[in-house]
């Protein structure tokens, strides 16, 4: 699946611009959380040891997933202010994450900023017919956590044609590296065009951060909402089990509280913040996800045999049965639960209540009431971002 004609990394101007974007905003975040607030960080030494072990791209053996609760609209980049300055200027060893298409990718300027900041355009199902668990951006994310490079995340002729006709209007979100070819792009909806990071071998086994709640959730007792299943795809489908590091965040909800008054766009200072990095629960020695990944591989092999397919599996490409079948769905539910349980352990370590009132969508709906976002019946503040 490796495309020999693809360069090993993006163009030099693109790498410089990405390094500057990540470095500047990572540094500003560090200055803000330590200079304008009181911030306590736990587990950073072990996490940095893991990140340092990934400096040699060719020596990487698996991807890295960090996963956390989501308590304010600027959790990312704020939480990466916990990293020493030098880490924020290294795009090849920095996190990728998912960002809302209708918020972060509305025109050329916002697309450029977030793409250079290693954010992938993600459609939200409530706002777009292109949203959901199996959208092309999820394919990109899974491939970033794997080894091969790919010529494109697109799987259809129509999407490939659209890349050659990218809209150059400033009001269009279409974006590409001007020093690279259209075969290094992908489409999220069949008509737009974005750089495909998994096309480059230098992006092998990348680091991806995800907020599985999918919403900013500010609860009086810091309870979490249910997790969405996308995190299960990121763990089950890469060729090697990624390292998985759970994180717990507190205090950011005071920096950007959803009920804040004017000026709403200014983060509040003088708060007490807490960022904790947990132990790695993934990777080769994983006892948390190993059984589930074996079951997933068996299911994939059975489905491929039924279809008469042999040889290498196209990573991130699933049959209808692997998307919607009962066994595949059950594996995603269990994997998502195990991820959530690991973050709950970190929450309990903070002395927070044992109760977990919003473990499932049904329970969340019962407690929150009919509103999709805003002030809910249980006193929590929810923001769809």
């Amino acid at each position: 699946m490796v495309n020999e004609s693809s360069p090993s990394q993006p163009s030099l101007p693109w790498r410089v611009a990405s390094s500057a974007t990540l470095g500047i905003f990572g540094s500003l975040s560090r200055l803000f959380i330590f200079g304008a607030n009181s911030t306590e960080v736990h587990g950073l030494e072990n996490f940095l040891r893991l990140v340092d072990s990934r400096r040699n791209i060719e020596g990487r053996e698996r991807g890295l997933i960090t996963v956390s609760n989501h308590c304010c609209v600027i959790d990312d980049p704020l939480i990466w202010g916990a990293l020493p300055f030098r880490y924020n200027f290294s795009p090849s060893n920095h996190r990728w994450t998912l960002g809302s298409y209708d918020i972060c990718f509305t025109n050329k300027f916002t697309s450029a900023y977030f793409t250079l900041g290693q954010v992938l355009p993600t459609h939200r199902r409530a706002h777009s017919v292109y949203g959901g668990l199996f959208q092309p951006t999820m394919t990109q994310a899974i491939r970033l956590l794997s080894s091969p490079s790919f010529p494109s995340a697109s799987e259809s002729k129509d999407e490939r044609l659209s890349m050659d006709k990218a809209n150059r209007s400033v009001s269009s979100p279409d974006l590409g590296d001007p020093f690279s070819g259209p075969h290094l792009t992908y489409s999220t909806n069949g008509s737009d065009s974005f750089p495909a990071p998994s096309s480059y071998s230098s992006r092998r086994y990348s680091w991806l951060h995800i907020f599985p709640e999918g919403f900013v959730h500010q609860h009086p007792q810091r309870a979490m909402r249910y997790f969405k299943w996308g995190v299960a795809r990121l763990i089950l489908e890469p060729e090697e089990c990624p390292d998985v590091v759970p994180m717990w965040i507190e205090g950011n909800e005071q920096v950007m509280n959803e009920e804040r008054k004017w000026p709403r766009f200014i983060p509040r200072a003088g708060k007490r913040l807490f960022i904790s990095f947990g132990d790695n629960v993934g990777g080769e020695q994983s006892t948390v996800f190993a059984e589930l990944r074996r079951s997933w591989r068996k299911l994939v092999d059975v489905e491929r045999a039924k279809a008469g397919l042999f040889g290498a599996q196209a990573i991130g490409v699933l049959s209808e049965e692997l998307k919607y079948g009962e066994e595949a769905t059950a594996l995603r539910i269990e994997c998502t639960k195990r991820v959530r349980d690991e973050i709950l352990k970190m929450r309990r370590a903070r002395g927070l209540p044992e109760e977990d009132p919003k473990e499932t969508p049904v329970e969340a709906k019962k407690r929150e009431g009919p509103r999709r976002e805003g002030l809910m019946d249980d006193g929590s503040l929810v923001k769809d971002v």
Side-chain angles (χ1 to χ4, degrees):
M1 293 284 299
V2 176
N3 183 3
E4 299 296 340
S5 67
S6 297
S8 64
Q9 55 188 348
S11 66
L12 178 60
W14 186 274
R15 299 198 310 272
V16 170
S18 182
S19 178
T21 301
L22 288 168
I24 289 171
F25 285 91
S27 298
L28 289 174
S29 296
R30 185 169 179 82
L31 292 171
F32 179 76
I33 68 171
F34 288 111
N37 298 274
S38 175
T39 301
E40 182 180 351
V41 181
H42 286 198
L44 182 61
E45 183 177 350
N46 285 340
F47 181 68
L48 292 182
R49 191 176 298 117
L50 176 60
V51 173
D52 288 340
S53 73
R54 298 168 44 80
R55 283 182 180 174
N56 178 7
I57 297 172
E58 293 302 318
R60 293 177 187 170
E61 298 179 347
R62 59 186 49 81
L64 167 63
I65 297 173
T66 47
V67 56
S68 72
N69 58 315
H70 198 5
C71 53
C72 97
V73 294
I74 57 171
D75 281 335
D76 190 318
L78 276 190
I79 55 177
W80 308 123
L83 305 180
F85 288 110
R86 67 182 183 278
Y87 288 87
N88 288 308
F89 288 89
S90 179
S92 64
N93 201 23
H94 206 285
R95 69 94 188 95
W96 289 83
T97 192
L98 308 178
S100 300
Y101 189 102
D102 55 294
I103 296 176
C104 303
F105 298 86
T106 57
N107 55 57
K108 285 284 190 295
F109 298 109
T110 59
S111 286
Y113 166 69
F114 285 103
T115 302
L116 290 170
Q118 301 193 162
V119 179
L120 300 174
T122 310
H123 292 278
R124 300 183 289 172
R125 181 173 288 173
H127 300 267
S128 170
V129 297
Y130 301 106
L133 188 58
F134 306 107
Q135 59 183 291
T137 290
M138 287 300 296
T139 304
Q140 278 296 305
I142 293 164
R143 291 177 174 183
L144 278 170
L145 293 166
S146 301
S147 175
S149 62
F150 298 85
S152 169
S154 300
E155 301 301 329
S156 74
K157 181 179 178 182
D158 290 340
E159 289 188 14
R160 289 193 293 271
L161 287 173
S162 73
M163 298 170 198
D164 295 317
K165 301 176 181 178
N167 190 331
R168 291 175 172 79
S169 168
V170 172
S171 62
S172 165
D174 289 15
L175 194 68
D177 182 346
F179 300 93
S180 299
H183 68 294
L184 299 173
T185 62
Y186 78 108
S187 177
T188 71
N189 58 17
S191 61
D192 60 11
S193 181
F194 292 95
S198 68
S199 297
Y200 304 99
S201 59
S202 63
R203 298 301 182 36
R204 68 192 302 271
Y205 294 135
S206 288
W207 164 17
L208 183 75
H209 183 78
I210 188 169
F211 299 102
E213 291 170 286
F215 287 73
V216 167
H217 185 232
Q218 300 176 350
H219 190 274
Q221 281 76 47
R222 295 195 168 101
M224 291 190 297
R225 295 185 99 234
Y226 62 92
F227 280 13
K228 299 187 176 183
W229 298 351
V231 67
R233 287 200 67 193
L234 300 175
I235 293 173
L236 294 175
E237 295 184 39
E239 56 186 357
E240 301 291 340
C241 182
D243 292 319
V244 181
V245 176
M247 296 175 60
W248 180 254
I249 307 165
E250 289 181 22
N252 287 3
E253 69 275 10
Q254 300 302 318
V255 172
M256 292 291 273
N257 189 272
E258 285 304 313
E259 291 189 316
R260 64 191 181 279
K261 305 302 181 182
W262 190 89
R264 284 184 59 83
F265 61 91
I266 296 181
R268 277 36 173 185
K271 309 301 181 182
R272 295 184 61 85
L273 312 182
F274 178 86
I275 304 169
S276 181
F277 297 86
D279 295 329
N280 180 9
V281 295
E284 184 179 6
Q285 304 301 321
S286 171
T287 58
V288 177
F289 307 110
E291 172 195 351
L292 298 178
R293 280 182 53 88
R294 284 193 296 269
S295 297
W296 174 258
R297 291 310 316 165
K298 289 179 182 178
L299 182 60
V300 170
D301 291 343
V302 168
E303 290 303 313
R304 284 175 59 78
K306 286 181 182 178
L309 299 175
F310 302 95
Q313 163 77 4
I315 294 175
V317 179
L318 303 177
S319 67
E320 292 300 297
E321 182 64 24
L322 291 174
K323 287 180 180 179
Y324 308 112
E326 184 176 338
E327 188 174 351
T329 299
L331 284 172
R332 291 191 190 102
I333 291 173
E334 178 59 26
C335 185
T336 303
K337 180 181 182 301
R338 294 188 187 188
V339 173
R340 196 171 185 278
D341 286 345
E342 293 302 319
I343 299 181
L344 281 173
K345 290 177 184 177
M346 302 187 70
R347 178 179 177 274
R348 295 187 188 107
R350 290 288 292 163
L352 293 167
E354 289 286 332
E355 293 82 0
D356 187 20
K358 299 185 184 182
E359 182 178 9
T360 68
V362 173
E363 289 300 319
K365 194 68 175 177
K366 285 180 181 178
R367 294 177 180 275
E368 292 180 350
R371 288 179 293 279
R372 176 174 174 80
E373 57 183 336
L375 180 61
M376 302 301 186
D377 291 352
D378 66 346
S380 63
L381 290 164
V382 175
K383 179 71 173 178
D384 183 1
V385 292

